[in-house]
Amino acid sequence: MKRRQFVKLGSVPLLMHGLQLRTFASPSMVKFFTGCEGISDRILVIIQMSGGNDGVNTTVALDQYDLYANLRSKIKLPQNSLIKLQTGLASNQQIGLHPSLTGFKSLYDQGKLNIIQGVSYNQPNLSHFKSTDLILSGGDGTPDLFNLTSGWMGRYLDSSFPGKAGNPNAEYPDPLGIQVGDDRPSTGFITSVDISAAVNIGWNDPAGYYNQVVEIGGAPPTNFPNTDYGSELDFLTQVQNNVSAYAGRISEVFNKGKNFIDYPDNSLAYQLKSVARMISGGSKTKIFLVNTYGYDTHTKQVEASDPTLGEHADRLSELSDSMKSFVDDLVASKQDHRVLGVTFSEFGRKPAENANLGTDHGTIAPMFLIGTPTKGGVTGINNNFSKIEDELFTEVNIDYRRVLTTILQDWLGASTAVLSTTLFDSFQSQKLDIINPVLKVDPACLGNFSPLPIKLISFDANLVNDQQVECKWLTAFETENSRFEVQRSRDGQIFSTILLRKGDGIGESETFIYGETDQNPLFGISYYRLKTIDNQGIVEYSMIRKIERKSKEEKTFKIYPNPAIFEVNIVLSSRIINQAEVLLIDQSGRQIMQKHWPLDQGFNKLNLDITHLSPGNYFIQVMDRKNINMTTPISVVR
């Protein structure tokens, strides 16, 4: 593709709502973002405000202050305490920031903060767990989007970088995603084939993650028996090698990086400080997810003697000051043009206070877009205090997926096809004007990161008669095609080639159809993908397809949760009364646990206590008296 030039903006000051701002178009930045250069190096940092942030006291609607004050006689913020923004905003956008948000005010004045008002989704859910799950999965309260089993981050990463999740290599040495601040793996990073596209370093700093990983399990075995057991042991060794490679890389960029700014002393600041240091050290991770807690303010949201103080004020101060330090650090390391931050909370709070100096679960809360790539200002309008039913705001100004769609396409360069896979394509026509125009992705550059002169239209894998898997793919043109490789995996991360096929065509005007069959597919769940190699040895991968082949004797075999912390459940459906043996084996082949399991006809469930296990990779093997063997890898985390 011939590359197009962006419009090169100079350093002429702009006036926004009467406030003079710089365009951020320094000569080095314009040079960096000429044509499509630099898009593949962009980073998104997501800040999860867990608990349900009270947006009503975060951005106070000045045009409806009297209505606000009547509903919050004890916890209202005095009007003279609010941080005022510049003049020139429409009356229904006039807001006063909570007095703790001084860092945000500084970023706003620099044009590095966009306040997105009235954010929610269709048929909001007021459960912490379910609402968080809906936002991380890209869903809402409607039947079709209520029970999504993958996350929007995982779907985006898997479709934009097929075959790269969990597989470090020279081109992509970093994890596609990194989660910090929560030991529980985030739903948001789960791909459509049930694997995580992220590494979770929990509460550890990156160097601590490296030390933790290298202490797991000891030296891996070098020889594997030619059995199912040997195959599983080989698989676990490959997983350990990949995790160790990621651990080494994370520690490398962390040690190589540097922080240039002092940060506040709180958990969020510590997480962001680690992220900034990794970016400074050369990390190419696409999405970082950090977590901050304490927004579930049912009681003591404010101090009785001073509503500008209290739990909510403390949380907002942590958020604001930490983000200000993070942005300043990125500017000092000259990485600010690469990094965009966005906040979200699972829901807002009710318009009215409760009897405990607090607020109860509501529906609407603001989001904040932060950093040099932001087009500063206020987006959307204030919550309508005249439209309240059942103590809840009824008007959703902006669906959260409009914000995410804008970020994925205008900042990260996602194509329409990627948005479709992410389930956000219906919001493409509703994007928001929130990205700095200097850094907004040119439409000609959307999705054009593939180096291959081969255009793959589709790849599908289908189980036929429970006996074989037919793989079919379609290409639009091939100019320097060497070959295709059909690859198979047990877990969707570690793949091996099972079928080879030379390319049929050389030309740009024809469509080529291919098909190959796996005559001996695996029992249970397995995964297929297509590896494409050009004449220069450049490799690309298709989307992964999931296949489930059930044996004659079992209809259901499932192990959950995985990764696991305290316990593992094994579910098995047997056609007959049976006896099974359950083995838990570590990655060196040592048997850790053995249980005899009498099976009833139909549904069976066995619970295993794993609190005594060290963190690491294991596999569970279930064998019945007819020698039907079912084996699944399991990861134990703490």
Side-chain angles (χ1 to χ4, degrees):
M1 183 193 80
K2 293 183 180 180
R3 298 181 176 181
R4 298 176 58 186
Q5 301 290 317
F6 281 116
V7 176
K8 298 185 178 181
L9 299 182
S11 57
V12 179
L14 297 178
L15 290 176
M16 186 180 71
H17 303 299
L19 183 68
Q20 181 171 301
L21 301 174
R22 292 187 297 273
T23 63
F24 307 111
S26 65
S28 61
M29 187 180 298
V30 173
K31 179 179 179 181
F32 189 83
F33 286 104
T34 296
C36 301
E37 296 291 341
I39 297 173
S40 61
D41 291 329
R42 295 182 174 190
I43 294 169
L44 176 63
V45 177
I46 302 171
I47 302 93
Q48 181 173 344
M49 302 162 62
S50 295
N53 177 45
D54 178 22
V56 177
N57 267 22
T58 302
T59 57
V60 177
L62 296 180
D63 63 323
Q64 302 169 82
Y65 186 83
D66 290 343
L67 294 175
Y68 154 81
N70 288 337
L71 291 170
R72 298 186 166 210
S73 59
K74 295 180 180 179
I75 72 167
K76 68 176 182 293
L77 297 170
Q79 195 162 6
N80 60 6
S81 73
L82 299 173
I83 299 174
K84 306 300 193 299
L85 303 180
Q86 85 283 352
T87 59
L89 291 169
S91 61
N92 60 0
Q93 291 185 311
Q94 290 284 345
I95 57 176
L97 297 181
H98 191 288
S100 294
L101 295 174
T102 54
F104 273 11
K105 175 59 162 60
S106 178
L107 291 173
Y108 186 90
D109 289 344
Q110 298 173 53
K112 296 180 180 179
L113 176 71
N114 194 295
I115 302 165
I116 307 169
Q117 288 282 74
V119 181
S120 188
Y121 54 86
N122 294 335
Q123 301 180 26
N125 190 286
L126 300 188
S127 158
H128 287 294
F129 174 80
K130 188 58 186 179
S131 187
T132 301
D133 178 70
L134 288 174
I135 293 175
L136 289 172
S137 67
D140 57 33
T142 61
D144 290 343
L145 296 173
F146 190 71
N147 289 308
L148 299 176
T149 58
S150 60
W152 69 263
M153 292 178 275
R155 296 193 299 270
Y156 161 73
L157 291 170
D158 194 34
S159 57
S160 296
F161 308 93
K164 304 300 191 300
N167 293 293
N169 54 61
E171 185 182 6
Y172 293 96
D174 299 280
L176 295 178
I178 290 181
Q179 180 184 350
V180 190
D182 191 340
D183 291 327
R184 299 164 298 180
S186 173
T187 301
F189 282 115
I190 302 300
T191 70
S192 56
V193 292
D194 302 327
I195 64 173
S196 177
V199 165
N200 186 350
I201 63 177
W203 295 101
N204 297 302
D205 62 46
Y209 173 74
Y210 172 79
N211 294 331
Q212 184 184 53
V213 169
V214 297
E215 290 172 359
I216 294 175
T222 56
N223 296 312
F224 307 99
N226 187 24
T227 62
D228 286 343
Y229 165 80
S231 175
E232 294 296 336
L233 194 56
D234 183 23
F235 157 74
L236 285 176
T237 300
Q238 292 182 65
V239 171
Q240 181 188 15
N241 290 340
N242 284 355
V243 172
S244 296
Y246 276 149
R249 171 65 178 177
I250 291 171
S251 185
E252 175 191 341
V253 297
F254 181 77
N255 292 332
K256 188 177 177 180
K258 180 180 178 181
N259 294 112
F260 296 84
I261 298 294
D262 291 332
Y263 283 72
D265 184 16
N266 62 67
S267 173
L268 177 61
Y270 180 79
Q271 296 173 55
L272 292 169
K273 183 178 180 180
S274 296
V275 171
R277 183 167 169 176
M278 285 187 279
I279 292 172
S280 168
S283 174
K284 304 294 184 183
T285 291
K286 297 301 297 179
I287 299 179
F288 290 90
L289 174 64
V290 301
N291 292 267
T292 177
Y293 300 87
Y295 288 90
D296 193 19
T297 51
H298 289 281
T299 63
K300 298 180 180 179
Q301 178 172 320
V302 304
E303 296 287 347
S305 59
D306 186 349
T308 67
L309 303 177
E311 288 294 324
H312 192 230
D314 292 343
R315 300 293 79 75
L316 292 181
S317 178
E318 290 176 2
L319 175 71
S320 173
D321 295 346
S322 299
M323 288 305 303
K324 175 64 165 56
S325 295
F326 180 64
V327 173
D328 289 347
D329 201 359
L330 293 171
V331 171
S333 65
K334 297 181 172 57
Q335 299 297 318
D336 57 300
H337 56 276
R338 295 180 54 213
V339 185
L340 178 68
V342 65
T343 71
F344 83 92
S345 195
E346 63 263 39
F347 44 61
R349 317 297 290 187
K350 288 184 176 180
E353 64 189 16
N354 61 27
N356 302 307
L357 294 179
T359 50
D360 298 325
H361 297 182
T363 55
I364 294 174
M367 294 176 70
F368 299 99
L369 204 67
I370 302 164
T372 295
T374 302
K375 180 179 180 181
V378 175
T379 298
I381 59 176
N382 294 337
N383 296 334
N384 190 342
F385 282 81
S386 299
K387 295 292 182 68
I388 297 173
E389 294 180 8
D390 298 325
E391 300 182 320
L392 299 171
F393 289 118
T394 59
E395 291 185 349
V396 175
N397 293 323
I398 294 175
D399 191 294
Y400 76 96
R401 288 162 293 192
R402 294 179 62 190
V403 181
L404 299 180
T405 299
T406 304
I407 291 171
L408 290 181
Q409 186 158 87
D410 291 352
W411 171 241
L412 293 177
S415 65
T416 300
V418 169
L419 291 181
S420 179
T421 302
T422 311
L423 305 183
F424 290 163
D425 55 325
S426 62
F427 295 93
Q428 189 174 9
S429 62
Q430 305 174 45
K431 290 189 299 182
L432 304 168
D433 187 17
I434 55 177
I435 302 297
N436 187 325
V438 178
L439 304 180
K440 186 176 179 179
V441 175
D442 189 311
C445 300
L446 297 177
N448 288 306
F449 308 128
S450 174
L452 280 183
I454 304 164
K455 183 174 182 180
L456 182 67
I457 297 176
S458 64
F459 171 75
D460 290 301
N462 295 286
L463 183 65
V464 179
N465 297 325
D466 285 331
Q467 297 297 319
Q468 57 191 24
V469 173
E470 290 185 352
C471 299
K472 296 180 179 180
W473 63 98
L474 181 67
T475 65
F477 64 81
E478 303 172 23
T479 56
E480 297 180 23
N481 184 12
S482 172
R483 67 186 184 278
F484 300 102
E485 297 181 8
V486 176
Q487 298 188 323
R488 187 179 67 193
S489 168
R490 284 189 179 275
D491 74 324
Q493 297 188 59
I494 307 299
F495 284 84
S496 58
T497 298
I498 59 171
L499 298 165
L500 289 171
R501 177 68 182 268
K502 294 282 290 183
D504 287 339
I506 300 177
E508 299 188 9
S509 60
E510 296 185 61
T511 299
F512 301 95
I513 302 173
Y514 297 88
E516 293 290 340
T517 301
D518 180 5
Q519 301 288 353
N520 298 291
L522 303 173
F523 284 108
I525 293 175
S526 58
Y527 304 87
Y528 290 78
R529 73 180 182 190
L530 185 69
K531 179 179 179 181
T532 307
I533 306 100
D534 76 357
N535 290 336
Q536 283 72 48
I538 299 175
V539 172
E540 279 295 320
Y541 297 92
S542 72
M543 292 288 291
I544 299 171
R545 303 303 179 191
K546 179 179 176 182
I547 294 294
E548 182 174 7
R549 183 188 182 200
K550 298 177 181 178
S551 71
K552 293 180 180 180
E553 295 297 327
E554 57 90 19
K555 293 184 178 180
T556 301
F557 174 62
K558 183 177 182 180
I559 292 178
Y560 69 93
N562 190 6
I565 300 176
F566 304 114
E567 64 179 11
V568 173
N569 296 299
I570 306 174
V571 173
L572 180 64
S573 179
S574 178
R575 295 177 60 187
I576 58 174
I577 296 175
N578 207 338
Q579 292 287 330
E581 184 177 46
V582 179
L583 301 178
L584 179 67
I585 302 170
D586 69 14
Q587 56 193 1
S588 66
R590 184 167 58 98
Q591 181 177 304
I592 304 297
M593 183 188 301
Q594 179 180 17
K595 284 187 175 291
H596 295 288
W597 186 16
L599 300 177
D600 294 328
Q601 185 176 2
F603 178 83
N604 297 270
K605 180 179 179 181
L606 178 67
N607 178 269
L608 298 181
D609 182 356
I610 59 169
T611 54
H612 63 288
L613 295 181
S614 300
N617 295 312
Y618 302 82
F619 64 87
I620 293 175
Q621 186 176 48
V622 179
M623 181 176 291
D624 72 2
R625 64 188 181 188
K626 292 192 175 183
N627 292 322
I628 294 178
N629 187 339
M630 293 154 283
T631 307
T632 296
I634 184 79
S635 294
V636 176
V637 298
R638 291 286 185 266

